[in-house]
Amino acid sequence: MRVGLFVPCYIDQMYPDVAVATLELLEGAGLKVEFPAAQTCCGQPMANTGCNDAARPLAARFLDLFDPFDYIVCPSGSCTSMVRNHFSDLVGNDPRLKSIQSRTFELCEFLHDVHPIDFSGNRFPFRVGLHQSCHGLRELRLGGDSEQMIERPDKVRSLLAQVQGLSFVELQRVDECCGFGGTFAVNERAVSVAMGEDRVQDHLDAGAEVMVASDMSCLMHLWGLISRQGSPLAVMHVAQVLAGRSPTVSVKNSIKPKTGNAV
Amino acid sequence: MATVSEHPEKAAAYIADRSRSRWHDGALWFVRSKRDRMAHSLPEWEQLRSTASQIKAHTIANLPEILQQFEANAKARGVHVHWAADAQEHNEIVLEIVRKQNATRVVKSKSMLTEECHLNPHLEAGGIEVIDTDLGERIVQMRGERPSHIVLPAIHIKKEEVGETFAKYLGTEPGASDPQYLTEAARQHLRSKFLEAEVGITGVNFAIAETGGFVVCTNEGNADLGASLPRVHIACMGIEKLIPRLVDLSVFVRLLARSATGQPITTYTSHFHGPRPGCELHIVLVDNGRSRIRDSDEFRSALGCIRCGACMNTCPVFRRSGGHSYDAVVPGPIGSVLSPAADTKQHRSLPYACSLCGSCTDVCPVKIPLHHQLLTWRQQIAAQGLLPVSKTAAMRAGSMLFQHPRIYALAGALGRRALRWLPKSWVYNRANPWGLDRDLPEPPAESFRSWWQTNRQGTSVDEGMKSKEAKNGK
């Protein structure tokens, strides 16, 4: 069985450890994982802006690169949803599309539904605030959301819940959007920042030490605010927690005096 | 000529008053939380949503027949039925009815359709006094504003500000902010207006083809007074307000108030089946672009909207930026779908006033896939050339970059190095809107693809980048 590792462009360039952690999890489960290095970006920024002409060749490249794999696994709900739910707008007439869509999985979904791994031997003695990323939640249905009255297994949470010492803090708004939204973060900067600040505050109020999410894009936005505020909150991708990484608080890049404390 | 309105600027202006924005967000979140509790209390909630969605899909598909059935049955009940192709025609029909009565005083209960058609200024220009009788609408009318929310029209106004407005217009105690005192003052004021009025105008929540009757839902009973005290009642409705059968109504009445305010049912759910003896009942059926939406495969289901406002209450953008930031009669997610249908150029920024979180889609009682429709609008806006060149050029450049993995990898390496070594003032300035409020990620020494080549010896088209990347790292 061949697993193709689908690494979102910003994870490749800015958060390589998230991809390494993902790889460790998959290889640890005995899977043969390959990284088709010609991959770049699935085209989501362009498609979300409405520029389908710019996104189309990227979707077509994705099909070429990932068609040979039995499974395609990605540490991002948003990019997975792009392939599964939005590629039909771009390359809907490609005969490979349906099959590739059915083989493409978000990491937690893959570890929950397709190839379960036991994480009960792991330890992570921290209070975790789980940020349920919108696309994972409402486009991939990785869990039940607060709007719909439908019980669904919470795939991200149930993986984390296996880890010893990890405790969840309870947020006031369990699945409020962080305000990233791709180009929205820049196009609607005021709203985006207000949403992010409120999201961070909810985690701080709940007493979280580490904010964990299944999408690094949400965490990039939230960390940017946390770092600027100097708040004592670490952010980690779920893959990093499951792969046994430790949290670090960093305000290294901040242009304001640092006040953050290591957890 | 309408000027192009840009949501980001208006939103930023509202959010600049951070405490007001937080207060607005909290007030609407409170309503959404009530909605969640009420929806939770019905085990059949999702079944109701599916049923409502199916009824609306059926109605929209068969709209001409259902409208004709309604017209025939309403006429048989002695109702005068009028048809208006657009807002102008609607306004003329209403003014004509009022003039025929030699009337000069009109009371009007809540109706988003009359807002959409800008009926008030039309009647006022014709010498008619129009008083909005919904408390929130009366407040915004006094202040010369438009409603900021379709169900909670004055949600953006604090009670202290209502006190100021009432002190000015109704002579209440200056500085008073007690809701009971202010409500009583409004009640006395409105009562005199009801008694003087010669014509009452209402909206319509649901019109039932099978019976020719219609239903108006309010929490204040103002529609009932407006429809019962004057001799003439004019009900104005969009053609999408139809439902086929009386039994269908039960589904919508249960969904509407729960979705809107978290009430089990609106306080007044009034059924109208023809004029009272000696009185007149008119219904104006308005298209005003609805047929065009019905003809579009992408947006047809938006006609199923029952105007509950749940998408506004749940929308994290609406909650922070306020309804007026949309500069549209119907704001929020559904407004951002409907407004570009009326004028794409003017409202082109609205489909982008959305983080695509999908909460609106899941909260919608008739299952309109709102965030998907907003995405579809973005495609249409880009295809129509209505995006700023800066955006389309950036997307095209990004696409070219991502089509060439080597250049992409090189650009990434250079970007990471620049982030590490450039002075902060070069990275954090007005040209970098991200960095105005947020730090940029700390750049890692190498990309994942570089790590992979080093540690997994994979064959890739990136061969050759390895040494460059390694040098870029420490």
Side-chain angles (χ1 to χ4, degrees):
Chain A
M1 187 170 71
R2 293 174 71 195
V3 175
L5 188 58
F6 165 21
V7 178
C9 48
Y10 66 97
I11 287 184
D12 171 38
Q13 292 297 323
M14 298 310 283
Y15 301 102
D17 186 59
V18 173
V20 175
T22 304
L23 181 68
E24 287 173 13
L25 292 174
L26 297 172
E27 287 183 339
L31 297 165
K32 179 171 163 33
V33 184
E34 292 169 55
F35 173 72
Q39 65 175 293
T40 53
C41 168
C42 62
Q44 184 172 188
M46 296 82 194
N48 280 4
T49 309
C51 298
N52 280 11
D53 288 344
R56 200 165 285 118
L58 303 179
R61 290 186 82 245
F62 184 96
L63 299 188
D64 292 341
L65 288 166
F66 283 99
D67 192 39
F69 297 98
D70 299 302
Y71 291 106
I72 300 145
V73 180
C74 175
S76 159
S78 192
C79 301
T80 304
S81 174
M82 178 66 196
V83 174
R84 201 185 290 167
N85 299 317
H86 302 290
F87 264 20
S88 53
D89 285 350
L90 304 171
V91 286
N93 53 0
D94 192 303
R96 299 168 298 179
L97 180 64
K98 282 224 152 53
S99 158
I100 287 177
Q101 285 174 327
S102 71
R103 286 179 270 145
T104 303
F105 291 87
E106 187 275 336
L107 175 66
C108 295
E109 188 180 42
F110 185 76
L111 296 179
H112 186 276
D113 298 346
V114 182
H115 202 93
I117 302 180
D118 178 16
F119 292 105
S120 59
N122 288 23
R123 258 191 79 71
F124 191 78
F126 298 97
R127 289 191 304 274
V128 165
L130 179 59
H131 172 69
Q132 298 273 21
S133 299
C134 298
H135 286 178
L137 196 65
R138 300 197 187 85
E139 295 213 322
L140 297 180
R141 302 296 179 196
L142 299 183
D145 68 357
S146 56
E147 294 87 20
Q148 290 197 342
M149 304 300 135
I150 300 174
E151 293 266 345
R152 292 187 170 99
D154 191 330
K155 296 175 186 178
V156 184
R157 193 177 173 112
S158 70
L159 293 175
L160 289 169
Q162 294 177 32
V163 176
Q164 289 178 40
L166 186 153
S167 59
F168 292 105
V169 299
E170 296 309 323
L171 303 167
Q172 290 294 314
R173 301 182 181 186
V174 291
D175 51 17
E176 176 91 325
C177 176
C178 70
F180 172 64
T183 53
F184 174 85
V186 171
N187 181 45
E188 285 272 6
R189 182 172 64 87
V191 188
S192 169
V193 168
M195 287 165 68
E197 286 175 350
D198 292 349
R199 198 73 198 117
V200 170
Q201 196 58 48
D202 198 353
H203 284 259
L204 290 173
D205 291 345
E209 294 170 304
V210 187
M211 184 195 278
V212 176
S214 54
D215 252 301
M216 209 57 222
S217 51
C218 308
L219 292 178
M220 176 168 70
H221 166 64
L222 293 168
W223 179 87
L225 292 162
I226 290 168
S227 172
R228 183 63 62 92
Q229 297 166 352
S231 298
L233 187 59
V235 304
M236 288 176 80
H237 191 277
V238 61
Q240 293 173 303
V241 176
L242 295 176
R245 306 286 197 271
S246 297
T248 50
V249 169
S250 171
V251 289
K252 198 168 118 193
N253 214 31
S254 178
I255 57 169
K256 283 194 179 160
K258 38 176 130 171
T259 52
N261 303 308
V263 172
Chain B
M1 259 210 316
T3 51
V4 174
S5 162
E6 297 291 345
H7 185 269
E9 285 77 36
K10 291 195 161 62
Y14 191 77
I15 290 169
D17 186 348
R18 199 69 181 88
S19 69
R20 178 177 287 271
S21 168
R22 281 220 166 85
W23 164 81
H24 188 264
D25 167 59
L28 288 170
W29 184 261
F30 175 77
V31 179
R32 207 212 103 172
S33 305
K34 260 176 82 186
R35 170 265 171 207
D36 292 353
R37 285 199 298 280
M38 287 311 300
H40 248 297
S41 71
L42 294 186
E44 69 276 29
W45 180 257
E46 295 298 332
Q47 198 190 334
L48 277 174
R49 287 178 75 225
S50 298
T51 308
S53 176
Q54 286 161 12
I55 294 169
K56 278 293 180 182
H58 170 270
T59 307
I60 296 161
N62 300 284
L63 196 56
E65 297 77 19
I66 290 172
L67 279 167
Q68 281 163 19
Q69 191 192 355
F70 174 75
E71 179 185 33
N73 287 330
K75 277 183 171 165
R77 291 181 176 276
V79 179
H80 301 276
V81 179
H82 310 261
W83 297 86
D86 56 24
Q88 183 64 27
E89 212 177 321
H90 161 264
N91 293 346
E92 283 163 9
I93 289 167
V94 174
L95 181 59
E96 179 70 19
I97 299 168
V98 175
R99 283 216 168 121
K100 265 197 186 147
Q101 305 298 322
N102 292 317
T104 55
R105 284 164 298 193
V106 171
V107 285
K108 180 165 78 67
S109 74
K110 211 160 163 351
S111 150
M112 289 316 296
L113 178 81
T114 58
E115 285 290 332
E116 172 188 325
C117 295
H118 304 291
L119 175 66
N120 284 16
H122 185 84
L123 292 182
E124 283 157 6
I128 313 289
E129 177 195 67
V130 196
I131 300 293
D132 283 321
T133 60
D134 172 275
L135 179 56
E137 291 219 319
R138 185 69 188 117
I139 294 167
V140 295
Q141 189 183 31
M142 284 177 185
R143 293 165 64 95
E145 297 175 359
R146 62 158 61 143
S148 70
H149 186 292
I150 60 172
V151 174
L152 311 159
I155 188 72
H156 60 291
I157 303 169
K158 297 186 178 186
K159 59 180 193 276
E160 292 77 16
E161 294 160 346
V162 173
E164 287 165 26
T165 304
F166 280 12
K168 189 169 163 195
Y169 293 96
L170 302 182
T172 53
E173 291 287 326
S177 65
D178 174 41
Q180 200 173 344
Y181 168 75
L182 295 174
T183 310
E184 185 56 32
R187 180 192 177 92
Q188 295 306 330
H189 158 71
L190 286 171
R191 183 157 296 182
S192 68
K193 295 295 179 187
F194 279 122
L195 290 169
E196 288 168 3
E198 298 146 300
V199 174
I201 298 175
T202 71
V204 169
N205 288 91
F206 305 100
I208 303 133
E210 179 187 54
T211 65
F214 64 92
V215 172
V216 180
C217 304
T218 71
N219 280 323
E220 298 167 18
N222 58 310
D224 304 80
L225 282 173
S228 308
L229 290 174
R231 210 184 58 82
V232 178
H233 174 189
I234 308 172
C236 303
M237 60 179 277
I239 52 174
E240 84 285 10
K241 292 281 179 179
L242 260 289
I243 53 173
R245 304 166 302 174
L246 187 59
V247 291
D248 301 326
L249 182 65
S250 59
V251 175
F252 292 101
V253 174
R254 298 185 78 199
L255 284 169
L256 177 66
R258 284 180 169 87
S259 296
T261 57
Q263 294 165 266
I265 191 166
T266 45
T267 315
Y268 299 88
T269 303
S270 304
H271 297 243
F272 296 90
H273 290 95
R276 286 171 289 133
C279 298
E280 286 178 27
L281 177 55
H282 296 260
I283 291 176
V284 190
L285 291 151
V286 184
D287 186 321
N288 204 30
R290 285 160 177 75
S291 294
R292 223 172 37 239
I293 297 174
R294 183 175 174 264
D295 288 342
S296 81
D297 290 335
E298 297 89 353
F299 304 113
R300 181 174 300 128
S301 66
L303 282 186
C305 175
I306 58 172
R307 301 292 194 267
C308 68
C311 61
M312 294 161 205
N313 302 340
T314 206
C315 176
V317 178
F318 182 96
R319 278 190 264 116
R320 268 96 181 173
S321 65
H324 287 155
S325 65
Y326 293 81
D327 204 9
V329 172
V330 180
I334 183 66
S336 300
V337 169
L338 296 175
S339 306
D343 186 340
T344 313
K345 192 176 177 191
Q346 192 195 341
H347 299 291
R348 67 190 177 190
S349 76
L350 296 187
Y352 294 88
C354 162
S355 66
L356 296 174
C357 78
S359 182
C360 51
T361 298
D362 281 359
V363 89
C364 177
V366 290
K367 293 192 171 185
I368 302 168
L370 286 160
H371 77 292
H372 292 144
Q373 295 193 349
L374 291 173
L375 187 59
T376 304
W377 263 125
R378 295 182 187 187
Q379 291 163 9
Q380 299 206 357
I381 285 163
Q384 288 177 34
L386 291 173
L387 272 188
V389 178
S390 60
K391 268 186 202 165
T392 47
M395 291 304 148
R396 214 170 295 137
S399 178
M400 289 311 290
L401 183 70
F402 290 133
Q403 288 176 59
H404 298 92
R406 282 162 187 273
I407 304 173
Y408 151 78
L410 179 65
L414 292 174
R416 284 197 310 280
R417 190 159 58 173
L419 269 186
R420 270 201 304 279
W421 299 118
L422 282 181
K424 288 225 154 62
S425 61
W426 286 36
V427 177
Y428 292 101
N429 52 49
R430 300 297 306 182
N432 170 14
W434 176 280
L436 293 175
D437 317 88
R438 290 161 290 211
D439 284 352
L440 288 157
E442 293 171 324
E446 63 175 353
S447 65
F448 175 72
R449 64 190 55 236
S450 164
W451 180 95
W452 172 269
Q453 284 177 339
T454 312
N455 294 279
R456 289 292 187 277
Q457 302 294 316
T459 54
S460 88
V461 296
D462 262 10
E463 211 59 57
M465 279 307 301
K466 186 175 155 186
S467 54
K468 278 184 203 148
E469 291 265 342
K471 274 179 213 148
N472 294 336
K474 283 177 208 168

